[in-house]
Amino acid sequence: RSTFESLLARGFPAVGLDRSFRLHAMHAEFLENHVYREDGVGFHSELDHTLPPGRGLRGHVAAALAPEYPVVVVEHTEAASLKQNDVELEIVAPILRAAVDRLGLDGRDGVGVVVPHRAQRAALQRRFPELAEGGAIDTVERFQGGERDLIVVSATASDPEFVLAEASFLLNPNRLNVAFSRPRKKLVVVGSTTIFRLMPPDLQTFEDALLWKRLRYEFSAEVLWEGVIAGADVRVSGRRAEPRGT
C-alpha cells in the first residue's frame, strides 16, 4: 500500500479536493469518470487553456501539438521493447523539439516527459540536455507533485511478455493517475498497441489495464495523422474540445 492508502485503512479522515486548478476541463472529466468517481469526489475543472498554435509544424508533430485537442493518444505497432524504446524516442523527440523551438516551452515550467524506466529517461536526457537540466524528463515517482503546460508520457514497454510480467508496476492505476494529471494545457500519451490492447489472464491485472484501454477509447474519436516512424505504424488520435458553454 501507499502511505495514503495505509492512512485511510487506519481510519484517518480524508477530504476529497473536487476541483482542479491545473487541468483542462476535458482532461479532468476523463479522470473523474475513470479514477475519482468511485471515491464520490465529483472531480472537475473550469479551465480551457490550450497550447498556442505552432506555425510550420507537419506530420505527427502537428497532430500531437494541435491546441484544440487537449488529450492526444499516439499508438504504434512496435512490440519488442523492454525498458528503452527507440521507436518512442523517434516519435517523442521531434515533438519535444517543436515544443521548445516553435512554442517556446522550457524545461522548468513549459514541457515535461514522464517515463516508467531510467533507461528511457537517460536516452531522452542525452538528446535534450537543456530539458534534463530543468528537471523536465523523469520517472513517475520523481515527477509527482510537478506540473507543466505540456506533458508527454512515453509508456516505453511494448513486449507483451515483459508488460505482463511487470504489470503491477507498469499498469498501476495510481502511478498512471500521477502521470496523466501533470499537464496544465496538453497531454500526449505515446504507447504501443500492446499497452492499449493488452488482455491479461487475471482479473486484477485486467482491471489495472482498463485505464489505458479507456484512454485509447475516449480519445480515438478523430484520427489526426497516420504514417510510419522508425519502421512502426503510428496513429495519432484525439477528441476536439467543445467551446465552453456548448
Side-chain angles (χ1 to χ4, degrees):
R1 285 177 175 172
S2 66
T3 301
F4 177 69
E5 290 169 329
S6 298
L7 291 173
L8 283 182
R10 287 166 171 76
F12 282 79
V15 176
L17 302 179
D18 62 354
R19 181 178 175 184
S20 172
F21 292 91
R22 173 193 301 146
L23 302 173
H24 189 283
M26 176 187 286
H27 193 166
E29 180 184 27
F30 172 79
L31 294 179
E32 160 62 12
N33 289 339
H34 303 300
V35 176
Y36 297 118
R37 176 163 290 179
E38 63 184 54
D39 297 328
V41 172
F43 189 68
H44 69 285
S45 172
E46 298 179 4
L47 303 176
D48 58 1
H49 304 312
T50 59
L51 291 178
R55 296 180 180 178
L57 301 182
R58 297 186 178 184
H60 81 283
V61 176
L65 296 178
E68 62 269 30
Y69 298 88
V71 181
V72 166
V73 172
V74 183
E75 181 179 352
H76 63 82
T77 58
E78 189 278 328
S81 295
L82 306 182
K83 297 183 179 182
Q84 180 175 324
N85 192 314
D86 291 337
V87 170
E88 292 192 15
L89 290 174
E90 296 306 316
I91 293 172
V92 169
I95 295 174
L96 296 181
R97 180 51 58 201
V100 173
D101 294 346
R102 301 293 182 89
L103 303 185
L105 302 181
D106 62 21
R108 297 193 181 278
D109 191 58
V111 60
V113 189
V114 182
V115 298
H117 299 293
R118 287 175 290 180
Q120 188 79 344
R121 177 183 66 184
L124 283 164
Q125 287 175 336
R126 286 193 294 270
R127 289 204 185 192
F128 297 93
E130 73 277 24
L131 294 181
E133 185 179 354
I137 304 170
D138 223 324
T139 58
V140 174
E141 290 78 10
R142 293 177 64 86
F143 230 105
Q144 189 163 2
E147 60 181 45
R148 298 290 194 282
D149 285 346
L150 165 66
I151 288 288
V152 178
V153 176
S154 172
T156 307
S158 63
D159 179 84
E161 292 185 3
F162 181 76
V163 172
L164 283 174
E166 298 287 319
S168 61
F169 171 74
L170 294 171
L171 307 180
N172 182 278
N174 291 335
R175 298 180 75 257
L176 293 178
N177 182 36
V178 171
F180 293 167
S181 61
R182 300 303 95 201
R184 291 188 289 257
K185 298 179 180 180
K186 180 88 170 191
L187 173 68
V188 177
V189 179
V190 182
S192 69
T193 296
T194 301
I195 286 283
F196 289 116
R197 303 191 185 186
L198 185 70
M199 294 299 293
D202 64 280
L203 180 60
Q204 182 59 57
T205 306
F206 178 81
E207 289 180 346
D208 287 348
L210 281 177
L211 194 58
W212 284 106
K213 297 180 185 300
R214 288 166 173 162
L215 181 79
R216 180 186 181 277
Y217 176 79
E218 288 210 11
F219 297 103
S220 293
E222 188 174 342
V223 177
L224 308 179
W225 183 86
E226 287 183 299
V228 177
I229 298 175
D233 294 332
V234 178
R235 186 182 75 166
V236 183
S237 60
R239 177 159 56 93
R240 185 184 294 267
E242 296 294 335
R244 298 303 301 275
T246 61

